[in-house]
Amino acid sequence: MAGRYGVDQFSRFLSFVALALIVLNLFFRSSVLWILGIAVLVLTYVRMFSKNFEKRRKENERYLQLKYKLTSGFRNWNDRRKQSRDYVFFRCPSCHAMLRVPRGKGKIRVTCRKCGNAFEKKT
Ligand SMILES: [Zn+2]
């Protein structure tokens, strides 16, 4: 593997997709799934043995950015879920920014950090 690009996050993802397609093919017996699975697998190996580091690095970066965008909704929701015992989450009525205040403080005056709108909220 000297001088070759090797494995990155994108190729790990691709090999997982290839495996999933090939396993799905075992149940559905579809030649489309099989061909797609093999094509993705071939692409994975082409990337791993590539000498064009710059291009592969950019592909991986695009993959990571897309993955980050696609999972940010879940990540934010999960963060809020973990903190929900100590904090109350709600949206600002004027700019809809997500706000967090400590739980159990009674009626408090909240000032939105994004737009400066102030309002009262029960916690
Ligand atoms: Zn606001």
Side-chain angles (χ1 to χ4, degrees):
M1 290 297 279
R4 304 294 183 164
Y5 183 69
V7 182
D8 60 12
Q9 292 94 333
F10 188 40
S11 43
R12 266 199 290 269
F13 169 75
L14 285 177
S15 47
F16 172 77
V17 169
L19 190 72
L21 287 169
I22 290 166
V23 169
L24 276 175
N25 175 60
L26 295 175
F27 297 102
F28 296 106
R29 292 277 165 210
S30 151
S31 53
V32 177
L33 284 176
W34 177 251
I35 291 166
L36 260 174
I38 297 300
V40 173
L41 199 63
V42 168
L43 178 68
T44 307
Y45 279 94
V46 167
R47 287 191 79 250
M48 275 165 61
F49 288 101
S50 170
K51 286 180 176 175
N52 193 344
F53 280 50
E54 187 55 28
K55 210 171 172 186
R56 299 293 89 79
R57 198 188 55 73
K58 275 186 179 156
E59 285 170 358
N60 192 47
E61 202 172 284
R62 273 204 303 270
Y63 160 72
L64 290 176
Q65 280 172 353
L66 186 70
K67 185 181 158 196
Y68 187 82
K69 268 190 209 164
L70 291 175
T71 57
S72 69
F74 171 74
R75 222 176 14 255
N76 290 340
W77 173 82
N78 203 30
D79 284 350
R80 286 197 300 275
R81 191 185 57 80
K82 281 182 195 158
Q83 297 177 25
S84 65
R85 210 162 52 124
D86 305 316
Y87 295 97
V88 177
F89 292 89
F90 54 88
R91 291 202 177 273
C92 167
S94 74
C95 73
H96 304 287
M98 188 60 78
L99 301 173
R100 184 188 80 170
V101 294
R103 191 175 280 280
K105 298 279 180 197
K107 203 168 188 183
I108 55 169
R109 186 159 185 81
V110 181
T111 305
C112 174
R113 269 198 283 170
K114 199 175 169 193
C115 68
N117 177 38
F119 54 96
E120 287 196 341
K121 188 89 187 168
K122 247 180 131 182
T123 61

